[in-house]
Amino acid sequence: MTDSQPADSQLPRLLAGLHERLRKIPDGAVASYIPALAAMPPDLFGLALQTSQGLLVEAGESRHPFTIQSVSKPFTYALALDLLGRDRVRAAVGVQPMAEAFNALVLEPGRNRPFNPMVNAGAIAVAGILRDALGANAFDRVLATFSAAAGRALTLDQAVYRSEVETGERNRALAHLLRAAGVFHVPAEQAVDLYFRQCSIQVTACDLAAMGATLAGVGTNPATRSEVFGVEAVRDTLSVMLTCGLYDGAGDWVCRVGVPAKSGVGGGLVAVVNRLMGIGMFSPPLDQAGNPLRALLACEGLAEELGLHLFEASNPGSRLLPLLAG
Ligand code: GLU
């Protein structure tokens, strides 16, 4: 990249170039274990980023709606930390990476709690303690929080929600296991219903970029200036995203891209460049580890071009700053 052009032309060109280069990659498979997800066309590919100044840059199908799925997990975790405090949340769910699959029926050895909030057991534990604290209004609060982070009113995808309810036996089993372990007190069905709903919130790549930018902005949405999460909640959330956000590909991701992120089986991915920007991506075909393949490659390209890795020789994002200054 040359730095003689202003941000409003260089960043769009960078995203458009990545979109063009990666959009034809045929590999990966659209998730089908939740039947309603299988209908998503595999060629959709949306990229977006929102800077800490609120500048939104996008390419491809960046406004195509899809369900947030596991990308919801960091945001309910941050909400729970804000509402209930770290001690209560940490009693319900740990912060350790887990070797087993994201939907494994396991708890931390010797502790009656899931390994971390980025796997299903951990996210259902978080849903359970939110349901304990907020009662029947819990989903309204989750939706309002996600909407504030995205900077617009989000809605529930009813078809995907029904599909999750109809087929989510494993998640139900996890909820029962957690309730039996005393992680939360509401009936297991109420906890898992909140989890199914949070996963079925409809977003776009632009929304995920804004939600990521809210975490990058230490909890404040850069476009609306709405204060969505507190500083400590954001710090804990970014920490578990960095270590546990990409299923079994988390270690590989940290080496290749090196910023906190979370992916979901709907093809969404959010990545956070601390203090600088949020990245939102959407590409339904998933790799072996369950991560959206083209989105991963696009993030790797962005990280290389802009110097985003946490352990860059220069300060992370140093190649982005001149672009933002114009
Ligand atoms: N609702 C999905 C499930 O529980 C989310 C999984 C994911 O995106 O990792 O299976």
Side-chain angles (χ1 to χ4, degrees), residues 75 135 139-140 149 203 293 310 324:
F75 298 96
F139 180 66
D140 290 345
V203 290
L293 189 88
L310 275 170
L324 298 182

Side-chain angles (χ1 to χ4, degrees), residues 33-34 37 67-73 102-103 118-120 124 160 164 168 170-171 174 195-196 199-200 247 262-267 286 290:
Y33 76 100
I34 300 169
L37 295 182
T67 51
I68 190 167
Q69 296 299 332
S70 277
V71 185
S72 62
K73 291 169 179 170
F102 72 99
N103 56 5
M118 302 294 114
V119 296
N120 285 16
I124 295 168
V160 171
E164 299 228 22
R170 203 176 171 88
N171 288 326
L174 280 170
Y195 172 74
F196 289 147
C199 288
S200 306
Y247 305 112
K262 183 74 196 88
S263 57
V265 293
L286 309 177

Side-chain angles (χ1 to χ4, degrees), residues 53-289:
Q53 285 92 343
L55 174 73
L56 180 69
V57 181
E58 45 188 311
E61 282 84 28
S62 52
R63 309 247 169 165
H64 191 93
F66 58 94
T67 51
I68 190 167
Q69 296 299 332
S70 277
V71 185
S72 62
K73 291 169 179 170
F75 298 96
T76 51
Y77 185 59
L79 173 62
L81 285 164
D82 269 339
L83 279 178
L84 306 172
R86 182 192 268 167
D87 290 348
R88 172 68 190 104
V89 174
R90 202 59 73 72
V93 57
V95 289
Q96 289 300 327
M98 177 176 93
E100 288 82 2
F102 72 99
N103 56 5
L105 286 159
V106 288
L107 299 179
E108 249 185 273
R111 310 286 297 258
N112 270 341
R113 63 179 192 186
F115 278 80
N116 71 70
M118 302 294 114
V119 296
N120 285 16
I124 295 168
V126 170
I129 59 175
L130 284 173
R131 190 67 176 72
D132 277 344
L134 297 168
N137 295 327
F139 180 66
D140 290 345
R141 181 66 183 266
V142 167
L143 188 61
T145 302
F146 285 25
S147 297
R152 73 174 185 108
L154 301 176
T155 56
L156 182 78
D157 182 325
Q158 291 288 349
V160 171
Y161 168 62
R162 275 197 305 276
S163 195
E164 299 228 22
V165 169
E166 279 159 17
T167 59
E169 293 312 330
R170 203 176 171 88
N171 288 326
R172 276 193 192 87
L174 280 170
H176 284 284
L177 178 71
L178 294 166
R179 180 150 193 269
V183 169
F184 54 76
H185 308 295
V186 289
E189 274 299 333
Q190 293 181 5
V192 77
D193 185 67
L194 178 59
Y195 172 74
F196 289 147
R197 284 175 193 271
Q198 78 181 55
C199 288
S200 306
I201 292 174
Q202 217 172 50
V203 290
T204 66
C206 288
D207 293 326
L208 293 186
M211 294 172 83
T214 299
L215 293 178
V218 205
T220 299
N221 178 298
T224 64
R225 307 306 307 165
S226 166
E227 289 175 21
V228 188
F229 303 114
V231 178
E232 287 174 8
V234 170
R235 195 177 64 179
D236 280 6
T237 301
L238 293 177
S239 302
V240 286
M241 288 170 77
L242 184 66
T243 51
C244 313
L246 274 280
Y247 305 112
D248 299 340
D252 200 40
W253 165 270
V254 175
C255 287
R256 286 165 57 183
V257 184
V259 298
K262 183 74 196 88
S263 57
V265 293
L269 183 144
V270 68
V272 179
V273 187
N274 196 29
R275 305 287 180 143
L276 291 179
M277 70 176 175
I279 300 168
M281 302 239 168
F282 167 54
S283 175
L286 309 177
D287 67 11
Q288 296 283 341

